[in-house]
Amino acid sequence: MPVAVRTVLDDRVARYVRRVKEEQHATEAAVVQDLVQTGYERMLRDLHARYHNGELTFRMVASKLGLSVRELYELFEQKGLPV
Amino acid sequence: MHVWDATSLITCAKFQVDGRLLLDYALDADTITIPMEVKEETVDSGLPRGFPDAVEIRRRVESGRIAVRAAERLSDPLEEVLELYGLQEGDKAVLRMALHEPDDVAVVTDDRLLYIVIQRCERGAMFLPDFVEKHAARGAFDAPTALKLLMAMRSRLPAGFVEHSARRLEGVI
């Protein structure tokens, strides 16, 4: 379920958001959403790599992401990441 | 008899060869036992989300083809070690079940860390492709069928795992 959040951005991040907003004629919310989504994807792939390398179990990754085992299986499958 | 982990069970309940689920080929080969935690992870949390594999696993649990049992705790020192590894309850349940079974019972898992811990606990562990190889060698499936089973699961496994088993089945290595 989507959630709406308010946050305070670091000055450098805020300047980046303003620049992209002007460049792409986007809203600040859209730019921040994109940043958050990019960060999430990167974190997901990092956790997947740690699972793949035997540092974490599948369930540890699920726990870190707040997902059930079945939800994580689906997420990995959607992203083309092997179990 | 093998103790099965959740992701291996899900994979086998998702993919088919010649109109049959990989799971049914696995059940032709050997009995499958899972701890209650794995049943919760695969069936109970999968059904509300509408995953067809959850329905398929449930059918086989209800028919008795997949046995579900409670996994008893191990000794306190060993439980402490499992905690230090950072294992989650489902991981521990798989290990507990395996360690309460005879030495020749192996765990089918695709989880590399869990595989290592199981081996360090001096129990057998095998990846899904290993299960296919083992039971092909025992005559449960012929080599062409075994190769089809491997190819069917290939998309869900890391590169090399399926190919390694396939080459062995082909007699190339």
Side-chain angles (χ1 to χ4, degrees):
Chain A
M1 188 188 320
V3 293
V5 296
R6 288 190 68 167
T7 190
V8 176
L9 300 177
D10 167 86
D11 182 55
R12 287 197 191 92
V13 175
R15 283 160 63 181
Y16 170 81
V17 169
R18 281 194 293 273
R19 185 182 70 71
V20 174
K21 172 190 165 188
E22 285 163 18
E23 201 172 81
Q24 297 182 1
H25 307 289
T27 63
E28 282 173 351
V31 176
V32 172
Q33 274 173 3
D34 190 58
L35 262 177
V36 170
Q37 188 64 33
T38 301
Y40 181 84
E41 293 282 334
R42 195 161 293 172
M43 179 193 59
L44 177 66
R45 285 173 195 276
D46 173 68
L47 286 172
H48 179 265
R50 293 170 67 192
Y51 160 68
H52 184 72
N53 294 335
E55 183 187 336
L56 302 172
T57 67
F58 192 89
R59 291 176 178 93
M60 289 177 192
V61 174
S63 176
K64 286 180 182 297
L65 290 171
L67 299 174
S68 70
V69 164
R70 190 57 190 88
E71 287 170 333
L72 181 59
Y73 189 105
E74 182 189 37
L75 181 57
F76 277 177
E77 193 173 18
Q78 285 172 350
K79 301 293 180 186
L81 299 171
V83 293
Chain B
M1 191 265 278
H2 291 83
V3 176
W4 279 58
D5 195 7
T7 56
S8 305
L9 196 60
I10 293 166
T11 297
C12 285
K14 280 179 66 67
F15 297 101
Q16 295 188 359
V17 164
D18 297 335
R20 294 184 78 210
L21 285 174
L22 269 58
L23 182 57
D24 290 325
Y25 285 96
L27 287 166
D28 286 346
D30 205 351
T31 56
I32 292 177
T33 302
I34 58 175
M36 294 185 63
E37 288 80 352
V38 169
K39 188 236 176 198
E40 283 160 15
E41 289 166 342
T42 57
V43 176
D44 301 342
S45 78
L47 285 175
R49 295 285 306 271
F51 289 113
D53 43 271
V55 175
E56 297 295 348
I57 296 168
R58 182 183 65 175
R59 278 200 191 121
R60 286 148 185 85
V61 168
E62 288 175 346
S63 70
R65 297 194 72 201
I66 294 176
V68 181
R69 296 215 299 263
E72 295 173 26
R73 283 179 63 85
L74 302 164
S75 68
D76 285 348
L78 189 45
E79 287 285 344
E80 188 184 314
V81 165
L82 301 189
E83 191 67 28
L84 287 169
Y85 273 114
L87 298 186
Q88 304 293 293
E89 276 310 303
D91 300 321
K92 293 178 191 175
V94 168
L95 252 166
R96 287 168 183 151
M97 182 163 279
L99 290 174
H100 278 114
E101 293 294 335
D103 291 358
D104 62 344
V105 170
V107 176
V108 179
T109 182
D110 296 306
D111 191 308
R112 265 72 76 200
L113 177 55
L114 192 55
Y115 180 101
I116 288 168
V117 177
I118 292 166
Q119 295 272 22
R120 297 197 76 209
C121 290
E122 297 178 331
R123 277 294 182 279
M126 59 179 68
F127 299 116
L128 257 179
D130 302 324
F131 177 89
V132 172
E133 269 193 82
K134 173 181 174 180
H135 289 286
R138 290 185 175 185
F141 350 97
D142 57 28
T145 300
L147 283 167
K148 285 186 189 177
L149 296 176
L150 290 174
M151 291 305 120
M153 64 180 68
R154 189 167 172 271
S155 67
R156 301 312 308 127
L157 295 174
F161 277 69
V162 161
E163 291 80 0
H164 193 172
S165 291
R167 298 291 182 276
R168 286 202 287 234
L169 278 170
E170 290 164 348
V172 173
I173 57 173

